[in-house]
């Protein structure tokens, strides 16, 4: 498996097996491969400046519960479900409210989604689009915000999104469609990259 961040895990199941067999240093391979997307998830879900702490705690919890990880399942959606829970807990217990600007700044501090080789004008447009999308996401219900974040900001496919959120695929599809309709009302120029089929 090659992650978007460039981390490379040839056989993720083998790495997990090594950790379970008492080789804790093998866990570092999973951490390196998935830190980028975990940070983006935490930031996008509202952790703001606490994103690194959330991710660190999520990796720790994932490590402690790796014995319950289902053989054959994908690690990334499982990890991101833990990140989402940790983010939710952090946000709920936070003393101060996160502002949209703060979340955008935290997201910008996470690994860049736009490759350095991209056209600067296109990259600037993408940043503006992302900022507008984040602001609109704040106006959605939590379940709609989660499904859009996983499918489009984290670029997870439908099965991964279903696994990460613990929802049936049909629920993912229907909630995504409703969320996209709401986003289209909030952002008339919004068009999801992957087509966003409108079938319920």
């Amino acid at each position: 498996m090659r992650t978007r961040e460039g981390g490379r895990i040839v056989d993720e199941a083998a790495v997990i097996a090594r950790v379970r067999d008492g080789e804790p240093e093998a866990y570092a391979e999973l951490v390196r491969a998935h830190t980028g997307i975990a940070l983006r998830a935490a930031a996008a879900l509202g952790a703001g400046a606490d994103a690194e702490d959330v991710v660190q705690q999520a990796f720790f919890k994932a490590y402690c519960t790796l014995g319950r990880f289902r053989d054959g399942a994908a690690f990334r959606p499982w990890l991101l479900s833990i990140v989402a829970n940790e983010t939710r807990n952090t946000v709920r217990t936070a003393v101060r409210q996160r502002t949209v600007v703060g979340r955008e700044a935290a997201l910008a501090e996470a690994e860049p989604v736009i490759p350095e080789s991209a056209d600067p004008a296109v990259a600037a447009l993408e940043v503006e689009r992302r900022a507008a999308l984040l602001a609109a996401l704040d106006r959605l219900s939590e379940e709609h915000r989660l499904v859009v974040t996983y499918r489009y900001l984290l670029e997870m496919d439908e099965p991964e999104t279903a696994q990460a959120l613990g929802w049936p695929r049909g629920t993912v599809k229907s909630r995504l469609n409703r969320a996209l309709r709401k986003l289209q009302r909030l952002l008339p120029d919004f068009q999801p990259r992957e087509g966003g089929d409108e079938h319920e």
Side-chain angles (χ1 to χ4, degrees):
M1 171 188 186
R2 184 168 184 81
T3 65
R4 194 171 134 190
E5 291 76 27
R8 183 171 177 82
I9 295 180
V10 175
D11 186 349
E12 198 168 74
V15 173
I16 292 170
R18 285 167 48 206
V19 178
R20 285 173 165 169
D21 287 343
E23 190 183 332
E25 55 275 4
Y27 193 65
E29 293 179 40
L30 294 171
V31 172
R32 278 193 299 272
H34 298 289
T35 293
I37 194 166
L39 283 170
R40 287 194 302 277
L45 295 173
D50 295 325
E52 287 187 16
D53 292 338
V54 165
V55 168
Q56 188 175 21
Q57 185 66 19
F59 273 118
F60 177 72
K61 284 192 174 180
Y63 179 79
C64 291
T65 57
L66 200 58
R68 295 194 307 243
F69 180 75
R70 189 169 44 90
D71 287 333
F75 182 78
R76 185 172 72 160
W78 183 70
L79 172 69
L80 292 181
S81 68
I82 297 172
V83 170
N85 288 336
E86 286 302 308
T87 301
R88 192 175 303 118
N89 292 340
T90 298
V91 169
R92 283 183 182 157
T93 58
V95 175
R96 59 185 173 86
Q97 293 289 326
R98 303 270 180 243
T99 64
V100 173
V101 173
R103 286 200 291 163
E104 290 168 3
L107 188 59
E109 289 172 8
E111 283 196 29
V113 174
I114 303 166
E116 291 179 15
S117 59
D119 180 321
V122 172
L125 189 60
E126 186 67 24
V127 168
E128 285 180 24
R129 185 177 177 198
R130 178 174 287 269
L133 179 60
L134 287 173
L137 282 172
D138 271 348
R139 299 175 65 185
L140 299 181
S141 67
E142 182 177 353
E143 64 187 24
H144 287 164
R145 186 171 48 251
L146 283 171
V147 73
V148 171
T149 297
Y150 279 70
R151 282 289 281 126
Y152 294 105
L153 296 184
L154 301 177
E155 300 177 3
M156 297 176 76
D157 61 24
E158 194 175 281
E160 288 178 320
T161 301
Q163 184 182 347
L165 294 174
W167 300 343
R169 286 181 64 178
T171 302
V172 168
K173 190 175 284 191
S174 64
R175 287 180 179 170
L176 183 62
N177 284 332
R178 283 189 216 108
L180 291 177
R181 284 192 200 111
K182 289 179 183 176
L183 280 177
Q184 285 171 339
R185 285 195 294 271
L186 294 169
L187 299 167
D189 296 332
F190 174 77
Q191 290 295 323
R193 258 186 234 154
E194 295 178 40
D197 64 335
E198 291 295 318
H199 305 294
E200 294 272 350

